[in-house]
Amino acid sequence: MDRHMGTADDGGRGAEGPRLWRRSARAVAAAGLALAVGVTFLPAETASAEALARCRAGTGPYQWQLEKYLKLKQDGVQSEADCRAIRAFQQRHRIKPATGKANLHTYRMLLIVRAGKAPNKGRRCPQRSYRVVCVDRTRQLLWVQRGAKGKLVMKPSPIRTGARGVETRGGMHRIFRRVRHDRSRVFNNARMPYSQYFSGGQALHGTYGDIYDGGGSHGCVNLRLNDASWLWKKVGKGNRVYVFGRKSGTRPRAAATDDELIATTKWGYVDGAGAPGEPVAW
């Protein structure tokens, strides 16, 4: 009889029978070994969930501020509990990626949350019968209020004001020009959507860049695109803009004209920006 044919003695396994038996024996031995050394095999889904739950983002530059707000132990050092609490805060406020690290984006959102429905609690921005766009250089926030009690017309939004040497000019201004799709004639033809000029070439406008990059603008007040679009609908030509406070790393200074800023920084007039005294689109 052909040795590869099944017989009554091998139960019909033929040549495949011994191989199957050996594989089964190895599996049983491995299982016994795992039980002996206390190894537990978890389903893939459970292992992934546990890995995701772990939070080890490391200490961020705004660790202490987040610990204080979230009522965590204030030691300025990230623990796994701190990381999870910060990550939960990021998830609640749709900060991506929600890593649990106390970065600038998270801190700026913290300032917005703390400002809440009363951003002008200290009454730094004048409360008038008409609408006033409040630009807080200290907290890097913008909101619109109206009336003696400062009723909010637009809730606080994150902004980016002028960097050192090109500070956004302080004081009370008035929007005098609006351009829905504008471009800078000084800085590489940069796009300036929803531009609303309030002081020479300085304007409130949207940006396609990251306002949380830690830097500053060239004097304009940069907003996220959605916020700039919303502001465009809420205010218009003739509305007041009040700029106050001091951005970290900048100098307190009197309002400077476009010509003074350009002369100081040696940018000069380019691409038909106009003669001295004419508004320049930053």
Side-chain angles (χ1 to χ4, degrees):
M1 181 178 289
D2 192 323
R3 60 181 178 179
H4 295 298
M5 295 291 292
T7 66
D9 292 332
D10 66 17
R13 291 193 304 267
E16 189 65 17
R19 285 195 291 271
L20 289 173
W21 183 88
R22 285 194 294 271
R23 284 199 293 269
S24 299
R26 284 197 295 270
V28 170
L33 179 61
L35 291 173
V37 299
V39 176
T40 303
F41 293 99
L42 297 175
E45 295 82 359
T46 303
S48 299
E50 286 196 355
L52 185 62
R54 288 196 298 269
C55 196
R56 300 171 183 173
T59 301
Y62 297 93
Q63 182 72 31
W64 189 88
Q65 291 89 336
L66 267 295
E67 287 173 345
K68 182 179 180 180
Y69 177 76
L70 296 173
K71 298 181 180 180
L72 303 168
K73 179 182 177 182
Q74 289 179 249
D75 56 9
V77 179
Q78 178 88 301
S79 67
E80 185 159 342
D82 294 342
C83 186
R84 289 183 180 182
I86 294 171
R87 182 171 64 185
F89 175 85
Q90 293 170 331
Q91 291 170 338
R92 282 197 305 274
H93 298 286
R94 301 178 182 180
I95 297 173
K96 296 180 181 180
T99 63
K101 192 161 189 172
N103 53 25
L104 177 60
H105 188 169
T106 305
Y107 174 65
R108 295 286 300 281
M109 180 55 69
L110 168 62
L111 294 179
I112 293 174
V113 173
R114 286 174 60 183
K117 297 181 180 180
N120 200 35
K121 188 175 181 179
R123 296 184 178 240
R124 296 287 306 278
C125 187
Q127 295 176 174
R128 300 287 186 264
S129 59
Y130 45 82
R131 295 187 179 192
V132 178
V133 180
C134 302
V135 178
D136 185 342
R137 292 180 297 194
T138 302
R139 293 181 293 174
Q140 293 291 285
L141 295 178
L142 175 149
W143 66 91
V144 181
Q145 63 185 33
R146 179 186 61 194
K149 294 184 178 181
K151 181 180 178 182
L152 286 182
V153 176
M154 176 175 169
K155 295 179 181 179
S157 300
I159 56 173
R160 180 175 58 190
T161 59
R164 183 180 177 86
V166 285
E167 288 88 349
T168 304
R169 293 189 274 269
M172 185 68 83
H173 310 279
R174 189 191 298 268
I175 296 174
F176 64 89
R177 179 168 170 253
R178 284 164 39 104
V179 184
R180 171 64 182 81
H181 300 286
D182 206 4
R183 286 182 176 270
S184 172
R185 289 179 287 173
V186 175
F187 299 107
N188 303 317
N189 202 35
R191 290 184 291 177
M192 299 168 57
Y194 305 106
S195 287
Q196 303 193 72
Y197 291 88
F198 62 87
S199 179
Q202 294 188 349
L204 310 162
H205 69 80
T207 179
Y208 293 91
D210 180 12
I211 64 172
Y212 303 113
D213 64 2
S217 72
H218 292 102
C220 287
V221 178
N222 297 160
L223 298 97
R224 297 176 300 187
L225 288 177
N226 287 343
D227 294 332
S229 172
W230 188 248
L231 182 63
W232 180 269
K233 299 172 185 175
K234 293 297 180 180
V235 297
K237 200 170 180 178
N239 281 130
R240 306 297 178 89
V241 177
Y242 186 71
V243 181
F244 64 98
R246 179 180 174 187
K247 177 180 170 65
S248 177
T250 62
R251 302 170 296 188
R253 60 181 294 158
T257 66
D258 289 340
D259 294 325
E260 290 170 339
L261 285 176
I262 290 173
T264 301
T265 55
K266 299 180 182 179
W267 287 323
Y269 290 91
V270 295
D271 191 25
E278 292 184 357
V280 177
W282 291 113

